[in-house]
Amino acid sequence: MDIVRCLIKLRSFLFIGMVFLSVSAIVSVSNEAACSQADGKTLHPIILGQPGHDDYGIPLYLADKLGYFKEEGLAVQFMNFKSSPLSVASLLAGEIQFCLTSYDQALKTFEKGKILKIVLTTTEKHPWCLLARPEIKSINDLKGRTISAKMPGSGPRAFATSIVIQGGLDPNKDVTFVDLPETAILPAYINGEIDATVGSGIRKAEMLSRGAVVLADMNDPAQHKAVLEADTFPLKVILATDGYLKDNPQVAQKFVNAAYRAMQWEKTHSSAEIAEKVAEYFLGSVSPEVIDDIRRAFSHTGLVTAEGHTAIEKQSLGVGLISKPVAMESVVDMSYQGTAAAK
């Protein structure tokens, strides 16, 4: 059995493992209502879910590394999930307090009758690209090919689907999507099990070093405008449930304050300095060159605009992620960002 079929068969086991990881982390936090520092100050524990070590979580990693969360009285723990839908499910269950994920998750969840609010975006532009084997010269050449693009209903799947549709192919008939763990994507490409994948940052650098070509790159302003029909696209956002925000407004404000401060620090420091600060969050290291590429999409304000909302809403409708428009005020709360920016 080849690697892709094997990994698909193992999805249920991976999900069980993720649930176990989630429960384990939650038990450790709930058993300790607050964390104490060496100076005796009490920190409020927060669990932040994310789809693996995320390139566009760098402002949050900086907020942690630079001590901004602690200065706000928070002890933030990062919890990795296999994909955004799993982290959102944990958020809705009250197992985590905040979630770094794609904007469309808030739209999709709202349509299902549950309210998640976006309190901040870490990106002003859409940052992803679609990478493929060197013999694949166009989107049309993907016909009959296999694409790795996370779970159905995830941001990467929505992005890859929209690119395939714009290239004139039917995503349900002309290509095969597979959901692979992050660690399996590169081996699957090397072994010929997949032909293309969504990527950015470290994944993009790894693929390019092995001869992959870029079929669509949202870091190119011209392509961004042509594909997304917008100059802004706040892809990566911080979500919290509406209920949590109503019950914990001060905690939410402290979280956003710290993240906003980190965005300001990032804006005025070099890629080499950023790479040094966030290396441990990438389980090793990340090069300044990769940071150069990643930070082109960063937001320095965290502000979600009406243009950005409309662009994401349009893409979500186009790929069938949602069936009808969602009003911006239904899923966005910029009050915390406004307070942080006013300081």
Side-chain angles (χ1 to χ4, degrees), residues 21 24-26 28-29 45-49 64 75-79 96:
L21 172 62
S24 298
I26 285 143
S28 68
V29 172
I46 289 293
I47 302 177
L48 170 67
D64 189 48
V76 175
Q77 175 187 353
F78 296 89
M79 180 182 291
I96 60 177

Side-chain angles (χ1 to χ4, degrees), residues 226-265:
V227 171
L228 303 170
E229 300 180 3
D231 291 316
T232 63
F233 199 101
L235 178 72
K236 287 290 183 170
V237 296
I238 304 298
L239 294 180
T241 65
D242 190 49
Y244 182 82
L245 294 175
K246 289 176 178 176
D247 292 341
N248 302 274
Q250 292 182 334
V251 175
Q253 188 62 65
K254 291 176 179 180
F255 185 94
V256 173
N257 288 347
Y260 184 87
R261 287 179 63 192
M263 290 177 177
Q264 304 310 300
W265 188 94

Side-chain angles (χ1 to χ4, degrees), residues 46-337:
I46 289 293
I47 302 177
L48 170 67
Q50 59 177 359
H53 293 78
D54 196 297
D55 295 345
Y56 302 95
I58 283 178
L60 305 176
Y61 305 153
L62 287 173
D64 189 48
K65 184 67 175 180
L66 295 168
Y68 295 160
F69 283 134
K70 286 185 177 179
E71 289 175 17
E72 291 286 344
L74 304 178
V76 175
Q77 175 187 353
F78 296 89
M79 180 182 291
N80 294 333
F81 289 82
K82 181 171 175 281
S83 195
S84 290
L86 298 180
S87 59
V88 169
S90 185
L91 183 67
L92 289 169
E95 298 171 338
I96 60 177
Q97 289 73 53
F98 295 95
C99 179
L100 171 66
T101 185
S102 54
Y103 195 117
D104 47 34
Q105 297 301 308
L107 303 180
K108 184 178 71 169
T109 304
F110 181 81
E111 188 166 85
K112 293 179 179 179
K114 297 179 180 179
I115 301 176
L116 297 176
K117 287 294 180 73
I118 296 164
V119 296
L120 201 72
T121 178
T122 63
T123 56
E124 183 180 11
K125 309 285 187 181
H126 195 303
W128 292 339
C129 62
L130 186 64
L131 299 139
R133 297 192 173 281
E135 66 270 19
I136 299 173
K137 306 300 183 183
S138 68
I139 300 300
N140 191 62
D141 292 339
L142 286 172
K143 189 170 185 177
R145 303 281 190 153
T146 300
I147 305 173
S148 171
K150 293 288 187 178
M151 295 176 65
S154 69
R157 183 67 63 91
F159 172 67
T161 299
S162 68
I163 295 296
V164 167
I165 291 172
Q166 290 176 13
L169 299 181
D170 185 334
N172 298 313
K173 297 178 181 179
D174 293 331
V175 299
T176 300
F177 287 113
V178 295
D179 171 21
L180 299 177
E182 280 296 320
T183 54
I185 293 174
L186 190 59
Y189 175 79
I190 293 172
N191 293 331
E193 303 289 347
I194 61 172
D195 300 297
T197 187
V198 173
S200 65
I202 293 175
R203 169 72 62 234
K204 180 180 178 182
E206 289 175 338
M207 296 288 287
L208 291 177
S209 71
R210 287 165 173 80
V213 296
V214 179
L215 296 181
D217 190 349
M218 297 304 97
N219 264 341
D220 176 349
Q223 290 188 54
H224 192 286
K225 183 70 172 180
V227 171
L228 303 170
E229 300 180 3
D231 291 316
T232 63
F233 199 101
L235 178 72
K236 287 290 183 170
V237 296
I238 304 298
L239 294 180
T241 65
D242 190 49
Y244 182 82
L245 294 175
K246 289 176 178 176
D247 292 341
N248 302 274
Q250 292 182 334
V251 175
Q253 188 62 65
K254 291 176 179 180
F255 185 94
V256 173
N257 288 347
Y260 184 87
R261 287 179 63 192
M263 290 177 177
Q264 304 310 300
W265 188 94
E266 178 272 323
K267 182 170 62 174
T268 59
H269 289 74
S270 70
S271 292
E273 291 173 290
I274 295 169
E276 180 182 3
K277 294 292 185 186
V278 303
E280 66 188 80
Y281 300 87
F282 286 90
L283 302 180
S285 64
V286 57
S287 73
E289 292 74 23
V290 168
I291 296 292
D292 280 339
D293 192 50
I294 293 172
R295 69 191 301 195
R296 292 167 65 186
F298 282 169
S299 170
H300 295 126
T301 64
L303 182 66
V304 173
T305 64
E307 180 194 20
H309 174 83
T310 299
I312 294 180
E313 180 186 62
K314 182 177 180 180
Q315 184 188 77
S316 299
L317 287 165
V319 300
L321 201 62
I322 56 174
S323 61
K324 56 185 178 181
V326 176
M328 181 174 169
E329 59 268 22
S330 296
V331 293
V332 176
D333 183 350
M334 286 291 102
S335 64
Y336 303 100
Q337 183 276 343

